[in-house]
Amino acid sequence: MDFPFYDSPNTAVIVCCHITDGGKPILYVSHDEDDGMWQFLCGSVHETDEARLVSLKYIYDLDHSVGILRDMPYGYYAERNTQDDNWVVKKR
């Protein structure tokens, strides 16, 4: 499967440790307006020390469903209740 994002596969993104270390699904994705940074979170409340930096390709390999969000503009976020639900995109 081709890498769908316009950003480079080695683009640094933020992910919570609950996903990388705990195996929780990605339920919340943010494309930050101020710096264009992608964040991939489990939907829980997080502390700063729970953030990890990984590549966008790492996230895509973990969950191909995030590829559908490649066109999500800066300042928007997407969420879903479970890994099997469709993404709902909203403006921040």
Side-chain angles (χ1 to χ4, degrees), residues 67-80:
I68 199 167
L69 302 174
R70 71 176 183 248
D71 292 320
M72 190 167 70
Y74 296 167
Y76 281 72
Y77 67 95
E79 58 188 350
R80 58 188 178 177

Side-chain angles (χ1 to χ4, degrees), residues 15-25 49-52 54 58 62:
V15 64
C16 69
C17 66
H18 305 122
I19 293 168
T20 59
D21 305 341
K24 287 200 171 188
D49 65 342
E50 295 176 314
R52 306 288 185 263
V54 298
Y58 174 89
L62 196 63

Side-chain angles (χ1 to χ4, degrees), residues 44-90:
S44 298
V45 176
H46 300 92
E47 299 296 325
T48 306
D49 65 342
E50 295 176 314
R52 306 288 185 263
L53 279 179
V54 298
S55 72
L56 186 54
K57 181 161 181 353
Y58 174 89
I59 293 295
Y60 180 68
D61 289 345
L62 196 63
D63 183 349
H64 284 336
S65 78
V66 300
I68 199 167
L69 302 174
R70 71 176 183 248
D71 292 320
M72 190 167 70
Y74 296 167
Y76 281 72
Y77 67 95
E79 58 188 350
R80 58 188 178 177
N81 291 323
T82 72
Q83 192 169 10
D84 296 325
D85 290 335
N86 292 325
W87 288 107
V88 176
V89 178
K90 298 177 183 176

